[in-house]
Amino acid sequence: MVVAGTMVVAGTMVVKRTMVLMTRKNKERFIRRVFATLHQLKNWAYKTEIAKGYVIVTQRTVTKGEDSSARTVKIWLQCDRGGTRKSKATVRCSGSKKIGCPFKMIGKLDASSGNWSLVVKQKDHNHEPAVFLEGHAFARRLTPDEELLVERLYIQNMEPTNIYLTIRKQNPQSVCILRDIQNVMKKIKVKMYGDRTPIQILEQMLHEGRYVYHTRVNPETNAVEEVFFVHRYSYDMWRAFPHVLMIDTTYKTNEYRLPFVQIVGVTSTHKSFCVAHAFIS
């Protein structure tokens, strides 16, 4: 029975979008809101609770139909500290932030109107609001626009630290950390390169760039241990100025901890140019 949330205007009853329902069974007060789409429902629930210092996540959903006709018809939202720890590890016991928070919302799809109704079943939390949201992985997730920005800057060979600083500068409210940027970059690499290894990617780039290159493979492990490559323009420059060559190697700062060798030449006008590069074991 609807007993609140109404007002009378010029003799006409106008029902507010928010209704307070009183059940005869337990007299609990449930707050209901109506949304046009599921995305609007989840966005409102998340922003409302995040402003209070709580993070809301999806507990479970119910879908109907199969393949392309499948659609969500019911959703349960809860606090990210809801539920209980389910780990059965005995050797390494890790902690958990789940403390059984009772907060719960339920969203249902109205098949006739196509609208979504959201009912707050339990509005109270059993813990204090978070002061810093960096410890909540769901709150740190990047928006689609931010992920596109990360992809664009990654293609421009920008370092992860600089990408992170750019994201935080454009969106001061973002609570993402450097690890989140690195995780997005890993997804971008998988999308760009598929299941190819870095050595396969390097060899393709050398082939497409018309480099002169040579690789040495360990006959026992069939692993590439050394890569030497020269660009054709650098080769022509070396043929013209072969008198001075400077060879230097960096420390093992790459992923495979292989020394990186650089060979540099000098022109007659005392300008340096790169002759060749190599990864050696």
PDB file of all heavy atoms in Angstrom, residues 18-51:
ATOM      1  N   THR A  18       9.870   8.616  -6.744  1.00  0.00           N
ATOM      2  CA  THR A  18      10.292   7.846  -5.583  1.00  0.00           C
ATOM      3  C   THR A  18       9.081   7.531  -4.724  1.00  0.00           C
ATOM      4  O   THR A  18       8.357   8.420  -4.340  1.00  0.00           O
ATOM      5  CB  THR A  18      11.311   8.642  -4.751  1.00  0.00           C
ATOM      6  OG1 THR A  18      12.419   8.977  -5.565  1.00  0.00           O
ATOM      7  CG2 THR A  18      11.791   7.829  -3.562  1.00  0.00           C
ATOM      8  N   MET A  19       8.867   6.270  -4.456  1.00  0.00           N
ATOM      9  CA  MET A  19       7.717   5.834  -3.668  1.00  0.00           C
ATOM     10  C   MET A  19       8.205   5.049  -2.464  1.00  0.00           C
ATOM     11  O   MET A  19       9.136   4.255  -2.553  1.00  0.00           O
ATOM     12  CB  MET A  19       6.804   4.957  -4.518  1.00  0.00           C
ATOM     13  CG  MET A  19       6.208   5.681  -5.733  1.00  0.00           C
ATOM     14  SD  MET A  19       5.160   4.608  -6.712  1.00  0.00           S
ATOM     15  CE  MET A  19       6.374   3.471  -7.314  1.00  0.00           C
ATOM     16  N   VAL A  20       7.566   5.245  -1.344  1.00  0.00           N
ATOM     17  CA  VAL A  20       7.867   4.495  -0.146  1.00  0.00           C
ATOM     18  C   VAL A  20       6.754   3.471   0.052  1.00  0.00           C
ATOM     19  O   VAL A  20       5.596   3.838   0.199  1.00  0.00           O
ATOM     20  CB  VAL A  20       7.976   5.428   1.075  1.00  0.00           C
ATOM     21  CG1 VAL A  20       8.325   4.626   2.312  1.00  0.00           C
ATOM     22  CG2 VAL A  20       9.013   6.516   0.815  1.00  0.00           C
ATOM     23  N   LEU A  21       7.130   2.210   0.010  1.00  0.00           N
ATOM     24  CA  LEU A  21       6.158   1.128   0.110  1.00  0.00           C
ATOM     25  C   LEU A  21       6.134   0.601   1.536  1.00  0.00           C
ATOM     26  O   LEU A  21       7.176   0.378   2.141  1.00  0.00           O
ATOM     27  CB  LEU A  21       6.525   0.003  -0.850  1.00  0.00           C
ATOM     28  CG  LEU A  21       6.649   0.402  -2.332  1.00  0.00           C
ATOM     29  CD1 LEU A  21       6.993  -0.826  -3.156  1.00  0.00           C
ATOM     30  CD2 LEU A  21       5.357   1.022  -2.808  1.00  0.00           C
ATOM     31  N   MET A  22       4.944   0.408   2.064  1.00  0.00           N
ATOM     32  CA  MET A  22       4.784  -0.174   3.386  1.00  0.00           C
ATOM     33  C   MET A  22       4.211  -1.568   3.242  1.00  0.00           C
ATOM     34  O   MET A  22       3.154  -1.765   2.653  1.00  0.00           O
ATOM     35  CB  MET A  22       3.842   0.682   4.244  1.00  0.00           C
ATOM     36  CG  MET A  22       4.363   2.087   4.524  1.00  0.00           C
ATOM     37  SD  MET A  22       5.832   2.076   5.527  1.00  0.00           S
ATOM     38  CE  MET A  22       5.142   1.419   7.035  1.00  0.00           C
ATOM     39  N   THR A  23       4.920  -2.558   3.685  1.00  0.00           N
ATOM     40  CA  THR A  23       4.448  -3.931   3.623  1.00  0.00           C
ATOM     41  C   THR A  23       3.732  -4.274   4.918  1.00  0.00           C
ATOM     42  O   THR A  23       4.187  -3.916   6.010  1.00  0.00           O
ATOM     43  CB  THR A  23       5.623  -4.890   3.417  1.00  0.00           C
ATOM     44  OG1 THR A  23       6.523  -4.740   4.507  1.00  0.00           O
ATOM     45  CG2 THR A  23       6.378  -4.569   2.126  1.00  0.00           C
ATOM     46  N   ARG A  24       2.638  -4.996   4.816  1.00  0.00           N
ATOM     47  CA  ARG A  24       1.873  -5.377   5.999  1.00  0.00           C
ATOM     48  C   ARG A  24       2.602  -6.465   6.783  1.00  0.00           C
ATOM     49  O   ARG A  24       2.359  -6.647   7.969  1.00  0.00           O
ATOM     50  CB  ARG A  24       0.496  -5.885   5.583  1.00  0.00           C
ATOM     51  CG  ARG A  24      -0.373  -4.816   4.932  1.00  0.00           C
ATOM     52  CD  ARG A  24      -1.724  -5.389   4.564  1.00  0.00           C
ATOM     53  NE  ARG A  24      -2.577  -4.356   3.970  1.00  0.00           N
ATOM     54  CZ  ARG A  24      -3.808  -4.595   3.542  1.00  0.00           C
ATOM     55  NH1 ARG A  24      -4.332  -5.809   3.644  1.00  0.00           N
ATOM     56  NH2 ARG A  24      -4.515  -3.617   3.011  1.00  0.00           N
ATOM     57  N   LYS A  25       3.489  -7.169   6.104  1.00  0.00           N
ATOM     58  CA  LYS A  25       4.128  -8.312   6.739  1.00  0.00           C
ATOM     59  C   LYS A  25       5.150  -7.880   7.779  1.00  0.00           C
ATOM     60  O   LYS A  25       5.136  -8.337   8.916  1.00  0.00           O
ATOM     61  CB  LYS A  25       4.794  -9.182   5.676  1.00  0.00           C
ATOM     62  CG  LYS A  25       5.417 -10.450   6.241  1.00  0.00           C
ATOM     63  CD  LYS A  25       5.981 -11.301   5.120  1.00  0.00           C
ATOM     64  CE  LYS A  25       6.594 -12.581   5.673  1.00  0.00           C
ATOM     65  NZ  LYS A  25       7.140 -13.433   4.601  1.00  0.00           N
ATOM     66  N   ASN A  26       6.091  -6.996   7.419  1.00  0.00           N
ATOM     67  CA  ASN A  26       7.155  -6.622   8.341  1.00  0.00           C
ATOM     68  C   ASN A  26       7.283  -5.117   8.513  1.00  0.00           C
ATOM     69  O   ASN A  26       8.172  -4.659   9.218  1.00  0.00           O
ATOM     70  CB  ASN A  26       8.499  -7.195   7.888  1.00  0.00           C
ATOM     71  CG  ASN A  26       8.779  -6.873   6.434  1.00  0.00           C
ATOM     72  OD1 ASN A  26       8.160  -5.978   5.865  1.00  0.00           O
ATOM     73  ND2 ASN A  26       9.709  -7.609   5.844  1.00  0.00           N
ATOM     74  N   LYS A  27       6.443  -4.333   7.845  1.00  0.00           N
ATOM     75  CA  LYS A  27       6.401  -2.883   8.001  1.00  0.00           C
ATOM     76  C   LYS A  27       7.746  -2.224   7.648  1.00  0.00           C
ATOM     77  O   LYS A  27       8.076  -1.171   8.164  1.00  0.00           O
ATOM     78  CB  LYS A  27       6.010  -2.499   9.427  1.00  0.00           C
ATOM     79  CG  LYS A  27       4.668  -3.053   9.858  1.00  0.00           C
ATOM     80  CD  LYS A  27       3.536  -2.513   8.996  1.00  0.00           C
ATOM     81  CE  LYS A  27       2.179  -3.025   9.475  1.00  0.00           C
ATOM     82  NZ  LYS A  27       1.087  -2.541   8.617  1.00  0.00           N
ATOM     83  N   GLU A  28       8.566  -2.878   6.810  1.00  0.00           N
ATOM     84  CA  GLU A  28       9.832  -2.279   6.429  1.00  0.00           C
ATOM     85  C   GLU A  28       9.587  -1.235   5.343  1.00  0.00           C
ATOM     86  O   GLU A  28       8.663  -1.328   4.554  1.00  0.00           O
ATOM     87  CB  GLU A  28      10.788  -3.345   5.912  1.00  0.00           C
ATOM     88  CG  GLU A  28      11.242  -4.326   6.987  1.00  0.00           C
ATOM     89  CD  GLU A  28      12.216  -5.336   6.419  1.00  0.00           C
ATOM     90  OE1 GLU A  28      12.398  -5.328   5.193  1.00  0.00           O
ATOM     91  OE2 GLU A  28      12.768  -6.117   7.210  1.00  0.00           O
ATOM     92  N   ARG A  29      10.473  -0.242   5.288  1.00  0.00           N
ATOM     93  CA  ARG A  29      10.341   0.836   4.316  1.00  0.00           C
ATOM     94  C   ARG A  29      11.338   0.590   3.188  1.00  0.00           C
ATOM     95  O   ARG A  29      12.542   0.595   3.392  1.00  0.00           O
ATOM     96  CB  ARG A  29      10.604   2.183   4.992  1.00  0.00           C
ATOM     97  CG  ARG A  29       9.609   2.511   6.076  1.00  0.00           C
ATOM     98  CD  ARG A  29      10.051   3.714   6.878  1.00  0.00           C
ATOM     99  NE  ARG A  29      10.062   4.934   6.068  1.00  0.00           N
ATOM    100  CZ  ARG A  29       9.013   5.705   5.847  1.00  0.00           C
ATOM    101  NH1 ARG A  29       7.839   5.373   6.347  1.00  0.00           N
ATOM    102  NH2 ARG A  29       9.114   6.794   5.119  1.00  0.00           N
ATOM    103  N   PHE A  30      10.815   0.345   1.984  1.00  0.00           N
ATOM    104  CA  PHE A  30      11.648   0.108   0.812  1.00  0.00           C
ATOM    105  C   PHE A  30      11.533   1.319  -0.105  1.00  0.00           C
ATOM    106  O   PHE A  30      10.430   1.770  -0.412  1.00  0.00           O
ATOM    107  CB  PHE A  30      11.196  -1.143   0.057  1.00  0.00           C
ATOM    108  CG  PHE A  30      11.362  -2.413   0.858  1.00  0.00           C
ATOM    109  CD1 PHE A  30      10.506  -3.485   0.652  1.00  0.00           C
ATOM    110  CD2 PHE A  30      12.361  -2.522   1.805  1.00  0.00           C
ATOM    111  CE1 PHE A  30      10.661  -4.645   1.380  1.00  0.00           C
ATOM    112  CE2 PHE A  30      12.518  -3.682   2.543  1.00  0.00           C
ATOM    113  CZ  PHE A  30      11.660  -4.748   2.326  1.00  0.00           C
ATOM    114  N   ILE A  31      12.675   1.844  -0.534  1.00  0.00           N
ATOM    115  CA  ILE A  31      12.703   2.991  -1.435  1.00  0.00           C
ATOM    116  C   ILE A  31      12.844   2.479  -2.861  1.00  0.00           C
ATOM    117  O   ILE A  31      13.751   1.723  -3.162  1.00  0.00           O
ATOM    118  CB  ILE A  31      13.865   3.933  -1.087  1.00  0.00           C
ATOM    119  CG1 ILE A  31      13.726   4.403   0.356  1.00  0.00           C
ATOM    120  CG2 ILE A  31      13.915   5.110  -2.039  1.00  0.00           C
ATOM    121  CD1 ILE A  31      14.872   5.267   0.820  1.00  0.00           C
ATOM    122  N   ARG A  32      11.942   2.888  -3.732  1.00  0.00           N
ATOM    123  CA  ARG A  32      11.949   2.417  -5.121  1.00  0.00           C
ATOM    124  C   ARG A  32      12.167   3.592  -6.061  1.00  0.00           C
ATOM    125  O   ARG A  32      11.588   4.669  -5.901  1.00  0.00           O
ATOM    126  CB  ARG A  32      10.626   1.727  -5.466  1.00  0.00           C
ATOM    127  CG  ARG A  32      10.478   1.379  -6.946  1.00  0.00           C
ATOM    128  CD  ARG A  32       9.204   0.645  -7.221  1.00  0.00           C
ATOM    129  NE  ARG A  32       9.198  -0.654  -6.569  1.00  0.00           N
ATOM    130  CZ  ARG A  32       8.142  -1.480  -6.600  1.00  0.00           C
ATOM    131  NH1 ARG A  32       7.026  -1.105  -7.193  1.00  0.00           N
ATOM    132  NH2 ARG A  32       8.216  -2.648  -5.995  1.00  0.00           N
ATOM    133  N   ARG A  33      13.009   3.366  -7.058  1.00  0.00           N
ATOM    134  CA  ARG A  33      13.259   4.346  -8.105  1.00  0.00           C
ATOM    135  C   ARG A  33      13.139   3.657  -9.459  1.00  0.00           C
ATOM    136  O   ARG A  33      13.373   2.456  -9.567  1.00  0.00           O
ATOM    137  CB  ARG A  33      14.642   4.993  -7.965  1.00  0.00           C
ATOM    138  CG  ARG A  33      14.764   5.919  -6.771  1.00  0.00           C
ATOM    139  CD  ARG A  33      16.145   6.533  -6.692  1.00  0.00           C
ATOM    140  NE  ARG A  33      16.236   7.467  -5.582  1.00  0.00           N
ATOM    141  CZ  ARG A  33      15.957   8.754  -5.654  1.00  0.00           C
ATOM    142  NH1 ARG A  33      15.569   9.277  -6.810  1.00  0.00           N
ATOM    143  NH2 ARG A  33      16.058   9.546  -4.604  1.00  0.00           N
ATOM    144  N   VAL A  34      12.778   4.446 -10.461  1.00  0.00           N
ATOM    145  CA  VAL A  34      12.565   3.917 -11.803  1.00  0.00           C
ATOM    146  C   VAL A  34      13.570   4.558 -12.752  1.00  0.00           C
ATOM    147  O   VAL A  34      13.783   5.780 -12.716  1.00  0.00           O
ATOM    148  CB  VAL A  34      11.122   4.174 -12.291  1.00  0.00           C
ATOM    149  CG1 VAL A  34      10.911   3.620 -13.695  1.00  0.00           C
ATOM    150  CG2 VAL A  34      10.126   3.552 -11.312  1.00  0.00           C
ATOM    151  N   PHE A  35      14.172   3.721 -13.621  1.00  0.00           N
ATOM    152  CA  PHE A  35      15.178   4.187 -14.577  1.00  0.00           C
ATOM    153  C   PHE A  35      14.846   3.637 -15.959  1.00  0.00           C
ATOM    154  O   PHE A  35      14.214   2.590 -16.088  1.00  0.00           O
ATOM    155  CB  PHE A  35      16.582   3.728 -14.160  1.00  0.00           C
ATOM    156  CG  PHE A  35      16.992   4.207 -12.802  1.00  0.00           C
ATOM    157  CD1 PHE A  35      16.715   3.452 -11.672  1.00  0.00           C
ATOM    158  CD2 PHE A  35      17.646   5.417 -12.648  1.00  0.00           C
ATOM    159  CE1 PHE A  35      17.085   3.884 -10.413  1.00  0.00           C
ATOM    160  CE2 PHE A  35      18.025   5.862 -11.396  1.00  0.00           C
ATOM    161  CZ  PHE A  35      17.743   5.103 -10.272  1.00  0.00           C
ATOM    162  N   ALA A  36      15.298   4.353 -16.964  1.00  0.00           N
ATOM    163  CA  ALA A  36      15.008   3.949 -18.343  1.00  0.00           C
ATOM    164  C   ALA A  36      15.864   2.768 -18.774  1.00  0.00           C
ATOM    165  O   ALA A  36      15.419   1.922 -19.554  1.00  0.00           O
ATOM    166  CB  ALA A  36      15.214   5.126 -19.296  1.00  0.00           C
ATOM    167  N   THR A  37      17.119   2.682 -18.299  1.00  0.00           N
ATOM    168  CA  THR A  37      18.025   1.615 -18.711  1.00  0.00           C
ATOM    169  C   THR A  37      18.746   1.048 -17.494  1.00  0.00           C
ATOM    170  O   THR A  37      18.795   1.675 -16.423  1.00  0.00           O
ATOM    171  CB  THR A  37      19.070   2.123 -19.716  1.00  0.00           C
ATOM    172  OG1 THR A  37      19.888   3.128 -19.076  1.00  0.00           O
ATOM    173  CG2 THR A  37      18.396   2.722 -20.948  1.00  0.00           C
ATOM    174  N   LEU A  38      19.321  -0.127 -17.690  1.00  0.00           N
ATOM    175  CA  LEU A  38      20.109  -0.748 -16.625  1.00  0.00           C
ATOM    176  C   LEU A  38      21.371   0.062 -16.354  1.00  0.00           C
ATOM    177  O   LEU A  38      21.809   0.164 -15.200  1.00  0.00           O
ATOM    178  CB  LEU A  38      20.470  -2.183 -17.026  1.00  0.00           C
ATOM    179  CG  LEU A  38      21.369  -2.953 -16.052  1.00  0.00           C
ATOM    180  CD1 LEU A  38      20.712  -3.085 -14.697  1.00  0.00           C
ATOM    181  CD2 LEU A  38      21.701  -4.339 -16.622  1.00  0.00           C
ATOM    182  N   HIS A  39      21.946   0.648 -17.385  1.00  0.00           N
ATOM    183  CA  HIS A  39      23.151   1.456 -17.196  1.00  0.00           C
ATOM    184  C   HIS A  39      22.868   2.654 -16.293  1.00  0.00           C
ATOM    185  O   HIS A  39      23.681   2.972 -15.415  1.00  0.00           O
ATOM    186  CB  HIS A  39      23.655   1.924 -18.560  1.00  0.00           C
ATOM    187  CG  HIS A  39      24.830   2.854 -18.472  1.00  0.00           C
ATOM    188  ND1 HIS A  39      26.098   2.430 -18.135  1.00  0.00           N
ATOM    189  CD2 HIS A  39      24.922   4.210 -18.638  1.00  0.00           C
ATOM    190  CE1 HIS A  39      26.930   3.465 -18.117  1.00  0.00           C
ATOM    191  NE2 HIS A  39      26.240   4.549 -18.416  1.00  0.00           N
ATOM    192  N   GLN A  40      21.736   3.317 -16.491  1.00  0.00           N
ATOM    193  CA  GLN A  40      21.375   4.450 -15.644  1.00  0.00           C
ATOM    194  C   GLN A  40      21.165   3.998 -14.205  1.00  0.00           C
ATOM    195  O   GLN A  40      21.548   4.701 -13.262  1.00  0.00           O
ATOM    196  CB  GLN A  40      20.121   5.125 -16.183  1.00  0.00           C
ATOM    197  CG  GLN A  40      20.294   5.809 -17.530  1.00  0.00           C
ATOM    198  CD  GLN A  40      19.010   6.452 -18.020  1.00  0.00           C
ATOM    199  OE1 GLN A  40      17.985   6.408 -17.340  1.00  0.00           O
ATOM    200  NE2 GLN A  40      19.059   7.040 -19.216  1.00  0.00           N
ATOM    201  N   LEU A  41      20.562   2.844 -14.030  1.00  0.00           N
ATOM    202  CA  LEU A  41      20.324   2.308 -12.689  1.00  0.00           C
ATOM    203  C   LEU A  41      21.645   2.080 -11.950  1.00  0.00           C
ATOM    204  O   LEU A  41      21.828   2.540 -10.817  1.00  0.00           O
ATOM    205  CB  LEU A  41      19.523   1.012 -12.782  1.00  0.00           C
ATOM    206  CG  LEU A  41      19.124   0.310 -11.479  1.00  0.00           C
ATOM    207  CD1 LEU A  41      17.797  -0.437 -11.679  1.00  0.00           C
ATOM    208  CD2 LEU A  41      20.186  -0.697 -11.038  1.00  0.00           C
ATOM    209  N   LYS A  42      22.563   1.378 -12.589  1.00  0.00           N
ATOM    210  CA  LYS A  42      23.843   1.071 -11.959  1.00  0.00           C
ATOM    211  C   LYS A  42      24.659   2.336 -11.725  1.00  0.00           C
ATOM    212  O   LYS A  42      25.330   2.470 -10.697  1.00  0.00           O
ATOM    213  CB  LYS A  42      24.623   0.073 -12.827  1.00  0.00           C
ATOM    214  CG  LYS A  42      23.947  -1.285 -12.926  1.00  0.00           C
ATOM    215  CD  LYS A  42      24.635  -2.168 -13.954  1.00  0.00           C
ATOM    216  CE  LYS A  42      26.022  -2.539 -13.534  1.00  0.00           C
ATOM    217  NZ  LYS A  42      26.647  -3.503 -14.486  1.00  0.00           N
ATOM    218  N   ASN A  43      24.608   3.259 -12.669  1.00  0.00           N
ATOM    219  CA  ASN A  43      25.361   4.501 -12.532  1.00  0.00           C
ATOM    220  C   ASN A  43      24.853   5.333 -11.354  1.00  0.00           C
ATOM    221  O   ASN A  43      25.648   5.889 -10.585  1.00  0.00           O
ATOM    222  CB  ASN A  43      25.275   5.300 -13.827  1.00  0.00           C
ATOM    223  CG  ASN A  43      26.270   6.437 -13.880  1.00  0.00           C
ATOM    224  OD1 ASN A  43      27.423   6.280 -13.487  1.00  0.00           O
ATOM    225  ND2 ASN A  43      25.829   7.586 -14.374  1.00  0.00           N
ATOM    226  N   TRP A  44      23.517   5.397 -11.201  1.00  0.00           N
ATOM    227  CA  TRP A  44      22.948   6.150 -10.080  1.00  0.00           C
ATOM    228  C   TRP A  44      23.318   5.484  -8.754  1.00  0.00           C
ATOM    229  O   TRP A  44      23.704   6.177  -7.795  1.00  0.00           O
ATOM    230  CB  TRP A  44      21.436   6.227 -10.221  1.00  0.00           C
ATOM    231  CG  TRP A  44      20.777   6.941  -9.075  1.00  0.00           C
ATOM    232  CD1 TRP A  44      20.542   8.276  -8.962  1.00  0.00           C
ATOM    233  CD2 TRP A  44      20.297   6.339  -7.857  1.00  0.00           C
ATOM    234  NE1 TRP A  44      19.953   8.551  -7.764  1.00  0.00           N
ATOM    235  CE2 TRP A  44      19.780   7.386  -7.062  1.00  0.00           C
ATOM    236  CE3 TRP A  44      20.248   5.040  -7.383  1.00  0.00           C
ATOM    237  CZ2 TRP A  44      19.228   7.153  -5.807  1.00  0.00           C
ATOM    238  CZ3 TRP A  44      19.702   4.810  -6.126  1.00  0.00           C
ATOM    239  CH2 TRP A  44      19.191   5.858  -5.349  1.00  0.00           C
ATOM    240  N   ALA A  45      23.194   4.176  -8.680  1.00  0.00           N
ATOM    241  CA  ALA A  45      23.499   3.476  -7.438  1.00  0.00           C
ATOM    242  C   ALA A  45      24.968   3.652  -7.053  1.00  0.00           C
ATOM    243  O   ALA A  45      25.298   3.898  -5.885  1.00  0.00           O
ATOM    244  CB  ALA A  45      23.160   1.991  -7.582  1.00  0.00           C
ATOM    245  N   TYR A  46      25.852   3.554  -8.042  1.00  0.00           N
ATOM    246  CA  TYR A  46      27.279   3.671  -7.756  1.00  0.00           C
ATOM    247  C   TYR A  46      27.632   5.080  -7.285  1.00  0.00           C
ATOM    248  O   TYR A  46      28.310   5.256  -6.266  1.00  0.00           O
ATOM    249  CB  TYR A  46      28.081   3.319  -9.002  1.00  0.00           C
ATOM    250  CG  TYR A  46      29.569   3.528  -8.840  1.00  0.00           C
ATOM    251  CD1 TYR A  46      30.336   2.608  -8.136  1.00  0.00           C
ATOM    252  CD2 TYR A  46      30.199   4.647  -9.374  1.00  0.00           C
ATOM    253  CE1 TYR A  46      31.696   2.792  -7.967  1.00  0.00           C
ATOM    254  CE2 TYR A  46      31.557   4.840  -9.212  1.00  0.00           C
ATOM    255  CZ  TYR A  46      32.302   3.910  -8.507  1.00  0.00           C
ATOM    256  OH  TYR A  46      33.655   4.108  -8.341  1.00  0.00           O
ATOM    257  N   LYS A  47      27.152   6.102  -8.015  1.00  0.00           N
ATOM    258  CA  LYS A  47      27.505   7.472  -7.660  1.00  0.00           C
ATOM    259  C   LYS A  47      26.900   7.885  -6.330  1.00  0.00           C
ATOM    260  O   LYS A  47      27.506   8.646  -5.568  1.00  0.00           O
ATOM    261  CB  LYS A  47      27.055   8.428  -8.768  1.00  0.00           C
ATOM    262  CG  LYS A  47      27.879   8.323 -10.042  1.00  0.00           C
ATOM    263  CD  LYS A  47      27.464   9.373 -11.052  1.00  0.00           C
ATOM    264  CE  LYS A  47      28.359   9.327 -12.283  1.00  0.00           C
ATOM    265  NZ  LYS A  47      27.987  10.358 -13.291  1.00  0.00           N
ATOM    266  N   THR A  48      25.690   7.391  -6.040  1.00  0.00           N
ATOM    267  CA  THR A  48      25.045   7.760  -4.778  1.00  0.00           C
ATOM    268  C   THR A  48      25.824   7.239  -3.584  1.00  0.00           C
ATOM    269  O   THR A  48      26.040   7.944  -2.601  1.00  0.00           O
ATOM    270  CB  THR A  48      23.606   7.214  -4.746  1.00  0.00           C
ATOM    271  OG1 THR A  48      22.862   7.762  -5.846  1.00  0.00           O
ATOM    272  CG2 THR A  48      22.918   7.577  -3.445  1.00  0.00           C
ATOM    273  N   GLU A  49      26.271   5.987  -3.670  1.00  0.00           N
ATOM    274  CA  GLU A  49      26.982   5.394  -2.543  1.00  0.00           C
ATOM    275  C   GLU A  49      28.444   5.816  -2.498  1.00  0.00           C
ATOM    276  O   GLU A  49      29.015   5.914  -1.414  1.00  0.00           O
ATOM    277  CB  GLU A  49      26.869   3.859  -2.608  1.00  0.00           C
ATOM    278  CG  GLU A  49      25.466   3.344  -2.382  1.00  0.00           C
ATOM    279  CD  GLU A  49      24.892   3.760  -1.036  1.00  0.00           C
ATOM    280  OE1 GLU A  49      25.621   3.634  -0.024  1.00  0.00           O
ATOM    281  OE2 GLU A  49      23.743   4.223  -0.990  1.00  0.00           O
ATOM    282  N   ILE A  50      29.066   6.053  -3.654  1.00  0.00           N
ATOM    283  CA  ILE A  50      30.471   6.468  -3.644  1.00  0.00           C
ATOM    284  C   ILE A  50      30.620   7.839  -3.005  1.00  0.00           C
ATOM    285  O   ILE A  50      31.647   8.153  -2.397  1.00  0.00           O
ATOM    286  CB  ILE A  50      31.054   6.462  -5.080  1.00  0.00           C
ATOM    287  CG1 ILE A  50      32.579   6.302  -5.039  1.00  0.00           C
ATOM    288  CG2 ILE A  50      30.696   7.731  -5.824  1.00  0.00           C
ATOM    289  CD1 ILE A  50      33.062   4.950  -4.656  1.00  0.00           C
ATOM    290  N   ALA A  51      29.582   8.669  -3.122  1.00  0.00           N
ATOM    291  CA  ALA A  51      29.623   9.982  -2.481  1.00  0.00           C
ATOM    292  C   ALA A  51      29.603   9.850  -0.960  1.00  0.00           C
ATOM    293  O   ALA A  51      30.067  10.755  -0.251  1.00  0.00           O
ATOM    294  CB  ALA A  51      28.447  10.835  -2.960  1.00  0.00           C
TER     295      ALA A  51
END
